[in-house]
Amino acid sequence: MSNIARGLEGINVTATKLCRIDGLKGELVYAGYDIYELAEKSTFEEVLFLLWNNRLPNAAELAELDKNLKSERNLDDVVDRLLRELWPHVRPMRTLEIAVEVLGAIDPKSGELTQPQLRLTAQRLTAKMATVIASYHRLRNGQEPVPPRDDLGHAANFLWMLTGEEPNALHKRVFDVAMILHAEHEMNASTFSAMVTGSTLSDMYSAIASAIGTLKGPLHGGANEAVYRTVDAIKEERNIASYVEALLARGERVMGIGHRIYKTTDPRAVILEKLGHEVAETSPDRWYFDLSLKLRDYLARKLEGKPLYPNVDFFSASVYKMLGIPSDLYTPIFALARISGWTAHLLEQYADNRLMRPNALYEGNESRKYAPIGQR
Ligand code: ACO
């Protein structure tokens, strides 16, 4: 076992200019810009441009990107019809995965892996995935999809398409920051998944569908929905200890806690907690956020000495709950933000590709005699 890197821990599979994480210091940096500064000063669209171009946009470039994204928001008829068929049978993450593959199927240039074409695909997916999830949600509620609004930015427009109501200024900003925080995270499992698919020179749509399938798991993006279920099941502060003790006694993990890279608090959780306090001021669901804080405090005492701290999913669950977003959309929303990092890594990779093909150490039988079926 000694020369096996289980879970590929500590292995560099590529070089990137996109993101640097220092898990001991709790640092997250996109293309040289600290996440705290980006969360305070930038917008999701600016971060998109940064990740796709390795520099911040000027005003004209940002306006151009904004215009291009808006022009891609509407869904093709076939995707619209697909959603109307799918929603009774398929959960949102798989819906997104299927819709992305269908978008690839109807794009005659999906196999054209030139940088300009890949950039168009990245814009298209970023814009349309938001519409897919919002439309899916409307349809399952027996409502017609809400057309996108050109006077709203990407994050605010998503909330608008979801509810048909314009979010207030605080909710717009908080959701935009949540999108920034989830935009990119170096070589996480879903990004790696996208890159494995892309490394075969399969197209960007299939690479993104792979990433969506990987993000869905509860050890990765699916943790935010699992955090929701945890806090919802605990219900009251007095149940925290018994709930956590029983869970750990069963050998299970507390969702939203721990991280492969961060051995201190995830900076994204720090920022989301701060925003959570602001949203809680006026939220009818503040009990949920308050209970999350109590759970966090209990776990800090319980897990003292272990490098287990709240990760981004711990607080995205309570922030999204207070924004009125249904819990099964938390992970799809993660995908709507992470599409920026996935596509940015794919742009880097397609420009300088090498097939991802590691080894497995064989420890099975050798030289076995093949017995005819009647003699087994
Ligand atoms: N609750 C309780 N104990 C935990 C947790 C947890 N959430 N996470 C890790 N541990 C314990 C493990 O049981 C193990 O204990 P041991 O050494 O006594 O056996 C030790 O901490 C180390 O765990 P590993 O499995 O080696 O850590 P790994 O790096 O593989 O796991 C992971 C990282 C998967 C994120 C893990 O912390 C976990 O399962 N967390 C809960 C799921 C979650 O929140 N995922 C979202 C991550 S953030 C993201 O993907 C956006």
Side-chain angles (χ1 to χ4, degrees):
M1 292 289 279
S2 59
N3 56 352
I4 296 177
R6 289 193 76 224
L8 296 179
E9 191 165 351
I11 302 287
N12 292 326
V13 294
T14 190
T16 181
K17 293 187 168 59
L18 293 172
C19 180
R20 180 178 67 72
I21 305 170
D22 186 325
L24 296 178
K25 292 189 188 149
E27 283 178 2
L28 171 59
V29 178
Y30 295 173
Y33 296 94
D34 190 272
I35 194 65
Y36 285 99
E37 188 167 21
L38 290 172
E40 189 189 332
K41 298 177 182 167
S42 73
T43 62
F44 179 65
E45 283 86 340
E46 274 190 282
V47 168
L48 265 179
F49 189 99
L50 172 66
L51 294 173
W52 286 343
N53 298 282
N54 198 31
R55 63 179 174 83
L56 287 170
N58 63 31
E61 289 166 333
L62 185 61
E64 175 76 8
L65 173 64
D66 185 52
K67 186 173 80 127
N68 291 341
L69 287 171
K70 284 172 176 164
S71 73
E72 287 284 2
R73 281 176 176 170
N74 287 309
L75 296 181
D76 311 79
D77 195 42
V78 61
V79 180
D80 181 75
R81 279 187 284 126
L82 176 84
L83 293 178
R84 290 172 194 276
E85 288 291 323
L86 278 186
W87 72 260
H89 315 289
V90 186
R91 282 176 48 81
M93 277 301 269
R94 204 178 296 282
T95 302
L96 199 55
E97 203 176 334
I98 295 168
V100 165
E101 282 290 16
V102 171
L103 285 168
I106 61 175
D107 179 356
K109 295 192 170 175
S110 63
E112 203 178 291
L113 304 183
T114 60
Q115 287 286 314
Q117 193 57 39
L118 289 165
R119 282 163 184 273
L120 290 177
T121 305
Q123 279 176 19
R124 176 171 306 131
L125 284 171
T126 303
K128 289 197 194 310
M129 277 168 50
T131 314
V132 164
I133 288 302
S135 301
Y136 167 91
H137 178 64
R138 300 288 297 179
L139 291 166
R140 72 177 175 178
N141 282 343
Q143 297 165 311
E144 275 303 296
V146 176
R149 259 177 57 182
D150 274 355
D151 59 331
L152 294 175
H154 187 68
N157 178 62
F158 173 72
L159 294 177
W160 157 255
M161 291 193 297
L162 203 60
T163 61
E165 287 169 26
E166 186 172 346
N168 66 32
L170 176 65
H171 287 192
K172 275 184 195 167
R173 176 69 192 148
V174 167
F175 192 61
D176 196 62
V177 174
M179 299 278 286
I180 293 170
L181 299 179
H182 288 83
E184 161 57 11
H185 213 232
E186 200 228 40
M187 201 44 51
N188 56 87
S190 56
T191 300
F192 182 55
S193 191
M195 291 186 64
V196 171
T197 303
S199 82
T200 69
L201 298 186
S202 184
D203 60 71
M204 189 179 254
Y205 295 93
S206 289
I208 297 304
S210 302
I212 293 169
T214 304
L215 187 72
K216 180 153 58 72
L219 296 189
H220 190 14
N224 53 16
E225 190 183 348
V227 171
Y228 172 82
R229 287 196 297 272
T230 301
V231 179
D232 198 50
I234 290 174
K235 281 199 169 49
E236 290 179 48
E237 186 182 354
R238 65 193 168 101
N239 300 328
I240 290 177
S242 57
Y243 185 95
V244 171
E245 297 304 328
L247 185 132
L248 294 178
R250 293 194 300 273
E252 294 175 18
R253 291 170 176 210
V254 190
M255 291 291 122
I257 300 292
H259 198 277
R260 174 61 64 81
I261 306 293
Y262 293 117
K263 300 306 167 197
T264 182
T265 305
D266 179 339
R268 302 166 300 174
V270 175
I271 296 167
L272 278 174
E273 181 191 344
K274 190 162 168 281
L275 294 173
H277 284 285
E278 289 182 44
V279 181
E281 293 286 310
T282 53
S283 171
D285 289 317
R286 78 162 299 154
W287 70 270
Y288 185 89
F289 178 65
D290 291 340
L291 188 55
S292 301
L293 293 174
K294 299 270 192 254
L295 174 62
R296 187 268 314 269
D297 294 344
Y298 178 84
L299 290 169
R301 291 192 297 275
K302 173 79 192 164
L303 302 170
E304 198 182 347
K306 295 188 175 180
L308 295 172
Y309 300 86
N311 59 50
V312 67
D313 293 315
F314 190 83
F315 282 111
S316 63
S318 45
V319 168
Y320 294 160
K321 167 81 175 164
M322 292 191 292
L323 293 182
I325 298 171
S327 60
D328 66 351
L329 298 190
Y330 297 176
T331 314
I333 284 170
F334 195 151
L336 302 189
R338 184 57 59 82
I339 181 69
S340 43
W342 291 334
T343 49
H345 279 281
L346 286 167
L347 286 171
E348 272 192 344
Q349 177 175 266
Y350 283 124
D352 183 21
N353 185 58
R354 183 161 170 82
L355 175 71
M356 297 263 190
R357 203 299 187 191
N359 298 334
L361 184 69
Y362 181 66
E363 51 184 23
N365 292 301
E366 295 287 356
S367 306
R368 300 170 98 180
K369 289 253 178 310
Y370 184 91
I373 193 156
Q375 293 172 22
R376 288 176 218 157

